Every structure is written in C-alpha cells, then in structure tokens.
Amino acid sequence: MKYAYYPGCSAHSTARDMHESAVAVAGALGINLIEPAGWTCCGATAAHQTDPVLAASLPAANLLKVQDMGLDMVANCAACYNRMKVANHEVSTDPAMRKKVSDAVGRDYDGSVKVRHIVEVLLDDVGLDNIKSAFKRSLNGLLVACYYGCLLVRPHEVTNFDDPENPTSLDRLVTAMGGVSLDWPHKVECCGGGLSMSRTDVVVSLTDSIVGMAKAAGAKCIAVSCPMCQINLDMRQQDIEKQTGTRYDMPVLYITQLLGLCLGISPDELGLNKLMVSPASVIEKIEIHANG
Amino acid sequence: MAITIKKSSKEIEGLIRRVEEISGVDLGVCYQCKKCTSGCPVAKMTKSPPSEIMRRLHLGAGDELLGSDIIWVCVSCETCSARCPMGIEVAAVMDALRILALEKKAEKQEGNVPLFNRAFLSTVRLFGRTYDIAMIAAYKIGTLKLMNDTEKFPTMLKKRKIALLPPTGADRKTVRRIFKKSKHKADKE
C-alpha cells in the first residue's frame, strides 16, 4: 500500500503529534507514505473566505504534484482533506473555474486525483481485521467519545466521508481496540475551527458545550482526527476553567495516537507528551493489563 | 420577527445578483424553514442568523447587509448547507458576503477575522506554507492587543507546538504565481 502523503502545515507546528502518530501507525501496518516534494499550503479557511480562485488553486498545485507521482493522495488533517476535495469538485464540475485554476497554477488540472483521509485508508484498504490482528494491547473498556467535527463530513456530496449526521468510522476503530465508543449527540458539532485566535470567545463557548457533553456522556477521553478540533478541545479547557470555573480534565487524543498505543508504540513516539491535558489516565488504562 | 429593509435602487439589486454570481446559489428557492438557523452553532451569538440573511437578500437588501455580524462570526462549519431541504449552500452565501464585504470595505467587525486571514495568507505567500510565529505576530500587531491570549505560549513552545524556524522545502515559486494570478484583494491592503 503506497500513497502520496500530504502532511499539511500543522504537521510541523501545532499538530506535530498528529503527524508523528500517523507516520508511526502507518509504519506498523505496512502503509507506505511518501511526501510529495515541495508540497505547499492548501489555503485553509483563510483562502476560501478571501478568494475562490486562490482557494481552489492552492490545493490544485499539490494535487498536480501527486498526479505526477501516479498515486492517491492521503491527507491527515481534516481541513486539508476538505480543501483538496472541494478543489477537485470545483475544477471537475466548473469549466470556467478549471480554466482560472489552470492559469493560476501554470498547468491544466482536471480534478481527477483521488483524495483519501487516513481513516478511510485504515478502514477500507488495511481493513479492521488486519488492524485488529496487529494490536498488542487493548483499550480495556475505556469510554471514548468520538468527535468528527465539520470538515470530514461536510459538504457530504463533496467529501463523501461516512454518514454526515452520525458517522461511525472512529467508533469502529475504538471498538476494534477494545474500547467502548459512546453514543453522544455532539459528534458533528463545530468547535469553532479557524476562529481560535480571531474570535476566541466563540471557540471557548463551542468547545465548552462539546467537552461538557462528552463528560456528561461519561467519556474518559475524546478521540479526534482533525488538528483544529484537537487543539481547540484540548487547549481551550484552560480558558473554560478560567471563565466558568468548570475543570474538565478531558484528554483529547488523535485516533492515530490511540491506535499507536494499542499497536505497542511508545507514548513519546506518538507525541503524547505534546497534549495540554495529560493523557496519563488513558495510557494507564491501556498499560494495566499489558503488564499484568 | 419583523425585518426592516431599505427599499429599491439599482445598486441594491446588484447585491443579490453578485451574491448569486459568486456563490453559484439560487437564492429564490429558500422558503424560510429556518433549519439553517436551528443547526447554526453561532446563531445565539449573532444579531442576524443565516435564515434572516437569506430573507434580507430576497427582500432586496443592499450594502448595509455587509455590516452584519454573522459574516465574520460564521465558523464555516457548513451545517446550514448540509441540512437545507432545498440544497442551498448557505455557507457559500456567507463566503460570497465576506468577499463582497472586503471588496466594498464594509465596517470592521469585532475580532478582526479579515486581519487574521491576511496574516495567514501573507506567510503562505512568503514561505509556501504557514509560519505560525510570523502569522501570530502580524495579527497581534494589527489588533494592538499584544498580550491577549498569550499565556499558553511558553508551554506551546516547550512542547514544540509552535515552530521557531520558518518552513523550508515548499515550492514557493508556484505559490507566488498563484497569488499573483488570483489577484486577491485582501492581501494588498
């Protein structure tokens, strides 16, 4: 299994742990990830809020690099995944946009490079049975709230990821790891995404309702697959405590970090020391039976 | 609720047409079921929820609509688009309003999202990828609130969650070409 792996800018800053854990898990499961040389930013929210041609051209430049490699693109960041898929959709359905994008990038692009999310690769290409047989440890009944956010599932006709209102991809992985995935209502609510700096008040209010709901559902941790969801839910717990007095102490882990732990990869290699809320309780739950 | 609008002029007709043109959305099919507003995570934080914006556009609202707070508090989560029974991409309407607000220099909103977007895109244009420290500095200097929300900085640096050095290895040439060709206005202000 060989893919062109698009790490995204956050892989080298706020979400180094997302990147490190994905690479480690891919290695353990025989997935070969190759970074396209010279990959550039997808433009994220800032580009699509500013200019439609810019928003489609920045992803297209990367999709062309992947086309030259003759591989499918695998994205890990939900925002990059979303922007790549939207660009593909716009270029392939709107001839005028295709012309503008091709002019901006300097080469014609038809929108045909297949874009996958790493969770889709795990479930569809590797398969739950193969993943399960590679596990060395179990989540031992850990109660996990799987949180998908916006960008994987919406717009659904473009991303085609799972179910738009009740996705279960992460839940299936958690169950396979021996955890208990909780039925809770905030799976696809929004965390505030890119407004973290410009409208911190909005993000604190939205994350308070999400983390609060996970806590009320009995979760001992939240599993995510998006760097913005992760940093908002994890880091903003300090602000929630300051503003409302509620201390959640809710670890927020990437699904690849949980998978890595079950595959027997060390917490440091998975970047678990980078979380703001300590994941010690989660690691302990996994290690209890492994050593005893 | 009652909606008061300023009535009719050629310029006013232009706003709905431009919104439809930029977003590719047919605004005529909205029948005000308000499902977009019901699912909107920021509906309670705005004076004008998405269904009201749709209605105002129907009724011929003009440039004054570009001062609505929802335009910059909208988180682009696309729940509205996903749940619209008529398949209207409400989120694309919001993007169109943002683009028009920048173009027509509508009044500044709390939080200054356009400044953040500019800071973000400037580092992309320069380095080919985002460079958080430069982006944060540009944003903080622009807002004149240097110390807001900075207490997590030391921990984030220690955990290497913020890169000190600018990104290397990106194909900057193509990115510069894209910025030049797309001629987006916000970056040049």
Side-chain angles (χ1 to χ4, degrees), chain A residues 63-78:
Chain A
L63 290 160
L64 276 166
K65 291 190 196 327
V66 172
Q67 191 171 58
D68 292 341
M69 297 165 78
L71 298 169
D72 285 356
M73 176 191 276
V74 170
N76 195 1
C77 165

Side-chain angles (χ1 to χ4, degrees), chain A residues 168-180:
Chain A
T168 54
S169 299
L170 302 180
D171 298 78
R172 277 179 275 152
L173 287 166
V174 164
T175 309
M177 286 184 263
V180 175

Side-chain angles (χ1 to χ4, degrees), chain B residues 101-145:
Chain B
L102 292 177
E103 204 179 284
K104 302 195 174 203
K105 299 200 191 325
E107 62 178 293
K108 276 208 175 122
Q109 296 291 325
E110 189 192 340
N112 218 336
V113 178
L115 174 68
F116 177 80
N117 288 347
R118 270 205 307 280
F120 183 102
L121 292 173
S122 303
T123 68
V124 175
R125 197 191 49 194
L126 280 173
F127 300 105
R129 294 176 195 158
T130 56
Y131 179 29
D132 289 349
I133 286 196
M135 175 180 80
I136 293 165
Y139 179 73
K140 294 278 175 204
I141 290 166
T143 55
L144 300 173
K145 287 178 187 163

Side-chain angles (χ1 to χ4, degrees), chain A residues 9-10 12-14 16-17 20 37-41 43-54 57-58 61 65 82-83 102-106 150-151 154-155 157 165 188-190 192 194-202 205-206 230-231 234-236 238-239 242 273-276, chain B residues 22 39 41-42 44-45 69 71-83 89 95 98-99 102 110-113 116-118 120-121 124 128-130 132 135-136 139-140 149 151-152 155-156 159-163 169-172 174-175 177-179 181-187:
Chain A
C9 301
S10 62
H12 296 295
S13 59
T14 51
R16 212 177 273 274
D17 41 354
E20 288 169 357
W39 63 267
T40 49
C41 176
T45 310
H48 82 75
Q49 289 191 345
T50 306
D51 182 302
V53 178
L54 182 70
S57 302
L58 288 170
K65 291 190 196 327
N82 187 290
R83 294 322 304 166
S102 302
D103 181 48
V105 180
C150 309
L151 296 163
R154 289 187 292 265
E157 63 279 13
E165 294 287 352
V188 294
E189 287 296 312
C190 179
L195 292 186
S196 195
M197 276 185 67
S198 46
R199 284 301 301 265
T200 309
D201 56 326
V202 172
S205 158
L206 296 177
Q230 199 284 332
I231 197 150
D234 185 16
M235 186 176 79
R236 293 299 171 198
Q238 288 179 25
D239 301 85
K242 219 183 288 167
N273 50 2
K274 295 187 169 49
L275 302 186
M276 302 296 268
Chain B
I22 299 170
V42 296
K44 60 174 191 276
M45 303 169 206
D69 61 349
I71 295 179
W72 299 110
V73 79
C74 161
V75 281
S76 301
C77 73
E78 308 209 16
T79 307
C80 47
S81 308
R83 293 181 183 168
E89 281 188 55
D95 268 347
R98 279 186 275 258
I99 289 162
L102 292 177
E110 189 192 340
N112 218 336
V113 178
F116 177 80
N117 288 347
R118 270 205 307 280
F120 183 102
L121 292 173
V124 175
R129 294 176 195 158
T130 56
D132 289 349
M135 175 180 80
I136 293 165
Y139 179 73
K140 294 278 175 204
D149 199 36
E151 73 281 357
K152 295 170 199 78
T155 321
M156 292 187 74
K159 288 178 181 282
R160 291 173 68 223
K161 278 174 102 71
I162 295 177
D171 173 4
R172 297 179 189 190
T174 305
V175 168
R177 182 193 160 97
I178 292 170
F179 272 88
K181 291 271 179 182
S182 69
K183 298 186 200 115
H184 83 94
K185 294 166 183 74
D187 196 51

Side-chain angles (χ1 to χ4, degrees), chain B residues 11-44:
Chain B
E11 184 203 357
I12 284 168
E13 275 172 15
L15 190 55
I16 184 166
R17 225 180 21 247
R18 287 290 323 269
V19 169
E20 289 192 326
E21 196 181 286
I22 299 170
S23 62
V25 165
D26 176 6
L27 287 159
V29 297
C30 167
Y31 59 84
Q32 286 290 300
C33 71
K34 299 190 173 65
K35 214 169 173 185
C36 49
T37 296
S38 307
C40 176
V42 296
K44 60 174 191 276

